[in-house]
Amino acid sequence: MAAHHHHEHAGASLAHAAETALVDAGEQWTDMRADIFAVLATFEKPASAYDIADLVSQKRGKRVAPNSVYRILDLFVATNLARRVESANAYLANSHPGCLHDCIFLICDNCGTATHIDDDTLTSNVRAAAERAGFAEVRPVIEVRGKCAACG
Amino acid sequence: MAAHHHHEHAGASLAHAAETALVDAGEQWTDMRADIFAVLATFEKPASAYDIADLVSQKRGKRVAPNSVYRILDLFVATNLARRVESANAYLANSHPGCLHDCIFLICDNCGTATHIDDDTLTSNVRAAAERAGFAEVRPVIEVRGKCAACG
DNA sequence: TTATGTCATGTGATGTTGTAACGTCTGGCG
DNA sequence: CGCCAGACGTTACAACATCACATGACATAA
């Protein structure tokens, strides 16, 4: 297994790392984006755009529409600040923005919490298999549904 | 790579294999189920429940509600006659029902067509990684988005 | 200072995907 | 026949996602 060093950020440190990554990508770190990232980062479970819209609305005392949230989530996904969990139609903050990986998500069918694994050997094997089949610009989606240790 | 023999069924042969598999699972092979399977099997791309509902409605000359289609698709997925493609919110017929696998789907972002790979070594590594993390009853979801050879 | 461009966000409508709740039909069986 | 169970129908609704266009905020050029 490839040895690989991350900072697993949390809290203010994570927000700061996100800001840095976004600015490095040539995008602005606005209040709205900061609020959405902050809300997203509080979730243990993948959060839907509507969940986020509700919480950000509360926080701001003003309705924030889901489509505004989607716009920003799309930006976050494109710049690797967040990930979309396809099997949950929902999003997770990336705990190490700026660090490019194919993540493997484990999502508990019972409690909904998600953890993630980085296993570059495994993911590069998946990439290689897809490329052997003639695919290019591949973007692996590797998720595992199941029952987590706590719900066992 | 594990050598492994399938019949890759098609057409009537596939429908027959599906019928056999469903009956073996203790379920009935009804007209509605046959129609839905037939329609699903004509698709190259993952088909949404609504796509299927439309086509089955035409075929029968009578509206079939998405609701009914979902029920049957869920049954098909449970009995391995079909697979859900999470990243497309859609379904594919399993071309070798009765044969249990963790499939890897390759879906072209451009033309939407899906192909599938069986690589038991790879999928069992994914399972193993999830189990090391304390997960049980795991169900891997391994899909790769990208650009297929034809669209290259 | 006004005009103009650009980017972020707001707003309302609409489209797509997925479920819940409950009713009806049919076939098997006492 | 009367009853039950499983398959399917029907209505309504919930959850997820996008489109089209308007507005606001800020920067720079005229």
Side-chain angles (χ1 to χ4, degrees):
Chain A
M1 194 160 318
H4 179 98
H5 259 285
H6 299 326
H7 297 289
E8 284 283 338
H9 293 281
S13 156
L14 176 54
H16 187 263
E19 175 173 355
T20 303
L22 197 58
V23 170
D24 285 357
E27 300 285 350
Q28 303 177 32
W29 183 253
T30 64
D31 285 358
M32 187 75 253
R33 292 173 185 185
D35 283 352
I36 288 181
F37 189 85
V39 165
L40 180 60
T42 64
F43 278 82
E44 290 274 304
K45 319 174 196 273
S48 80
Y50 281 72
D51 293 340
I52 295 168
D54 288 347
L55 287 178
V56 174
S57 294
Q58 276 183 232
K59 183 167 179 172
R60 308 203 131 204
K62 176 168 187 305
R63 176 184 133 91
V64 174
N67 63 0
S68 298
V69 174
Y70 274 110
R71 266 196 297 246
I72 292 176
L73 287 174
D74 287 349
L75 175 70
F76 286 176
V77 170
T79 53
N80 200 38
L81 268 65
R83 299 280 188 163
R84 178 173 164 81
V85 181
E86 296 291 348
S87 70
N89 296 327
Y91 298 81
L92 281 173
N94 185 346
S95 53
H96 41 80
C99 173
L100 217 47
H101 270 297
D102 298 322
C103 288
I104 301 174
F105 290 112
L106 311 179
I107 304 109
C108 179
D109 286 326
N110 186 243
C111 66
T113 55
T115 58
H116 90 269
I117 297 176
D118 293 316
D119 183 332
D120 293 338
T121 305
L122 208 41
T123 60
S124 63
N125 285 340
V126 173
R127 279 179 178 275
E131 279 155 8
R132 273 199 303 279
F135 269 62
E137 300 170 28
V138 305
R139 182 176 70 85
V141 174
I142 310 179
E143 302 173 7
V144 183
R145 311 294 312 210
K147 208 156 71 167
C148 73
C151 291
Chain B
M1 193 157 321
H4 179 96
H5 257 287
H6 299 327
H7 296 290
E8 285 283 339
H9 293 281
S13 156
L14 176 53
H16 187 262
E19 174 173 355
T20 303
L22 198 57
V23 171
D24 285 357
E27 300 286 350
Q28 303 176 32
W29 183 254
T30 65
D31 284 358
M32 187 76 251
R33 291 173 185 185
D35 284 352
I36 288 181
F37 189 86
V39 165
L40 180 59
T42 65
F43 278 83
E44 290 274 304
K45 320 174 192 271
S48 80
Y50 283 72
D51 293 339
I52 295 168
D54 288 347
L55 287 179
V56 174
S57 294
Q58 278 183 234
K59 184 166 177 172
R60 307 204 133 204
K62 175 167 187 304
R63 178 184 133 90
V64 174
N67 196 342
S68 299
V69 175
Y70 274 110
R71 266 197 300 246
I72 292 176
L73 287 174
D74 287 348
L75 175 69
F76 286 175
V77 169
T79 53
N80 200 37
L81 266 65
R83 299 280 188 163
R84 179 173 163 80
V85 181
E86 296 291 348
S87 70
N89 296 326
Y91 299 80
L92 281 174
N94 184 344
S95 53
H96 41 78
C99 174
L100 219 46
H101 271 295
D102 297 323
C103 288
I104 301 174
F105 290 111
L106 311 180
I107 303 109
C108 179
D109 286 327
N110 186 244
C111 66
T113 54
T115 57
H116 90 272
I117 295 176
D118 294 316
D119 184 332
D120 292 338
T121 305
L122 208 42
T123 59
S124 64
N125 285 340
V126 173
R127 280 179 177 275
E131 279 155 8
R132 274 198 302 278
F135 269 63
E137 301 169 27
V138 306
R139 181 176 72 85
V141 173
I142 309 179
E143 301 173 6
V144 183
R145 309 295 310 214
K147 209 156 71 167
C148 74
C151 290

